[in-house]
């Protein structure tokens, strides 16, 4: 979907149309969740702080997110997808992979299917979508960003290598900021540069990721579209308006976070063994500490006890701007969850 959250707001509130709009907080600690295309012209982007966004665009209008509404629209879009294929893998409320190799309508062209789906989305919701079409998820994802908004791009098999050869290396999946800098240092700036390197060279410099980069430069990506992707973890976190310097105050905040995580686990009939405490300091350094229990838990009390013990064993380096709790090692493959109600300590 094109600037999904912002586009929904402009759809529901006509007075916001054609104006620079940001969904998210405008305060000192506010973060942009989505920006309209009018705002993007000024450099406003998602994950940008509200203060920086306002400096970039003084006329920026801030609105609070309405996730229930976004989920409602997302559900409408998902129904359209399912008219064509059951192999739909959601990435978020506004994005999904579809495998239409065998589609319900028997259409032979994935390009025409994408056009038809985009047209139905607009007729049903009044919103525009963009699409990428190719032989695998990696290529389709890259293609989906090429003709935004309200467009699509197809990368045919015979065009894959020329397309990837001309692609900037920072646009390859798995190439983050640090990896990109390392590749620049090694003289790798484009897909062609990457493809010129041997597998041995890439494994020497990038370890286990070497094979991944070697294959991507040749258009090889074997990840299947998974219609019911199971979560690997359930968590929640809070960013504070003011930095926190004492463990006592952090413990007070942990209660709300653990309650939210517990509710999410129980809503999905899940429990987990590994609890991770996440702390982000005012200098943006990140610290995590985990503990794995011998049994599964999902109850608020046990989760809070574990998180509190993890926090108690932490030495705070500086003031804290964010704290979070995550439960992993879930009981997804267990026929029946084990629930232990006894209190425990780490003695």
């Amino acid at each position: 979907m094109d600037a999904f959250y912002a586009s929904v707001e402009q759809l529901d509130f006509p007075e916001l149309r054609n104006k620079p709009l940001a969904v998210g907080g405008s305060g000192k600690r506010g973060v942009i969740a989505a920006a309209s295309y009018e705002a993007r012209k000024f450099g406003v982007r998602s994950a940008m702080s509200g203060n920086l966004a306002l400096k970039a665009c003084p006329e920026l209008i801030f609105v609070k997110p309405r996730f229930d509404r976004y989920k409602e629209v997302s559900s409408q879009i998902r129904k359209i997808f399912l008219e064509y294929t059951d192999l739909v893998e959601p990435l978020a409320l506004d994005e999904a992979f579809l495998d239409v190799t065998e589609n319900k309508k028997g259409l032979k062209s994935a390009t025409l299917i994408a056009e038809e789906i985009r047209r139905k989305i607009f007729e049903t919701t009044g919103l525009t979508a963009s699409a990428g079409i190719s032989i695998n998820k990696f290529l389709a994802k890259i293609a989906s960003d090429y003709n935004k908004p309200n467009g699509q791009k197809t990368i045919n098999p015979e065009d894959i290598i020329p397309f990837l050869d001309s692609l900037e290396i920072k646009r390859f999946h798995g190439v983050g900021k640090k990896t990109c800098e390392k590749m620049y240092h090694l003289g790798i700036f484009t897909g062609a540069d990457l493809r010129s390197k041997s597998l041995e060279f890439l494994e020497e410099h990038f370890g286990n990721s070497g094979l991944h980069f070697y294959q991507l430069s040749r258009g090889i990506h074997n990840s299947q579209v998974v219609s019911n992707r199971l979560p690997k973890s359930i968590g929640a976190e809070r960013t504070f308006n003011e930095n926190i310097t004492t463990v006592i105050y952090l413990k007070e905040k942990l209660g709300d976070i653990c309650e939210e995580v517990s509710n999410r686990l129980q809503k999905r009939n899940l429990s987990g063994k590994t609890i991770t405490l996440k702390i982000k300091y005012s200098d943006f350094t990140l610290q995590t500490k985990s503990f794995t229990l011998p049994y599964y838990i999902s109850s608020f009390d046990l989760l809070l006890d574990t998180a509190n013990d993890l926090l108690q064993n932490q030495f705070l380096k500086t003031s804290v701007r964010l704290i979070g709790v995550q439960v992993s090692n879930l009981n997804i493959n267990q026929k029946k969850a084990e629930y232990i109600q006894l209190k425990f300590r780490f003695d």
Side-chain angles (χ1 to χ4, degrees), residues 300-327:
F300 165 71
D301 290 338
L302 292 178
L303 184 57
L304 182 60
D305 280 349
T306 311
N308 274 329
D309 280 332
L310 287 170
L311 179 61
Q312 192 65 44
N313 293 330
Q314 294 287 84
F315 175 74
L316 299 184
K317 298 187 295 184
T318 60
S319 56
V320 176
R321 76 184 311 269
L322 175 148
I323 191 168
V325 174
Q326 184 181 79
V327 178

Side-chain angles (χ1 to χ4, degrees), residues 108 151 160 197 303:
K108 300 299 182 182
I160 290 172
K197 304 300 181 183
L303 184 57

Side-chain angles (χ1 to χ4, degrees), residues 2 37 118-119 122 127-131 147-152:
D2 298 323
Y37 283 97
R118 289 176 48 240
R119 184 171 63 251
F122 182 75
L127 300 171
T128 63
S130 297
N147 292 317
K148 273 184 168 289
N150 196 24
Q152 64 182 59

Side-chain angles (χ1 to χ4, degrees), residues 97 131-146 153-157 159-161 163-164 167 172-173 216-221:
F97 286 116
I133 304 96
S134 196
I135 65 170
N136 59 44
K137 289 160 70 172
F138 162 62
L139 292 165
K141 170 63 176 172
I142 293 176
S144 69
D145 290 328
Y146 255 73
K153 179 176 179 60
T154 299
I155 306 175
N156 291 310
D159 299 325
I160 290 172
I161 296 302
F163 175 82
L164 290 177
L167 195 67
F172 277 73
H173 180 69
L216 288 190
S217 70
R218 289 157 175 79
I220 301 169
H221 188 235

Side-chain angles (χ1 to χ4, degrees), residues 232-272:
K232 294 182 178 179
S233 63
I234 301 290
E237 58 187 38
R238 295 286 186 277
T239 300
F240 307 123
N241 291 326
E242 300 292 339
N243 293 337
I244 295 176
T245 58
T246 65
V247 171
I248 294 176
Y249 193 39
L250 286 174
K251 281 189 173 184
E252 293 179 8
K253 300 298 182 182
L254 269 183
D256 291 338
I257 297 173
C258 289
E259 183 177 13
E260 182 175 341
V261 175
S262 176
N263 289 338
R264 290 180 179 180
L265 285 166
Q266 294 180 24
K267 185 177 181 180
R268 304 187 69 163
N269 195 28
L270 292 173
S271 55

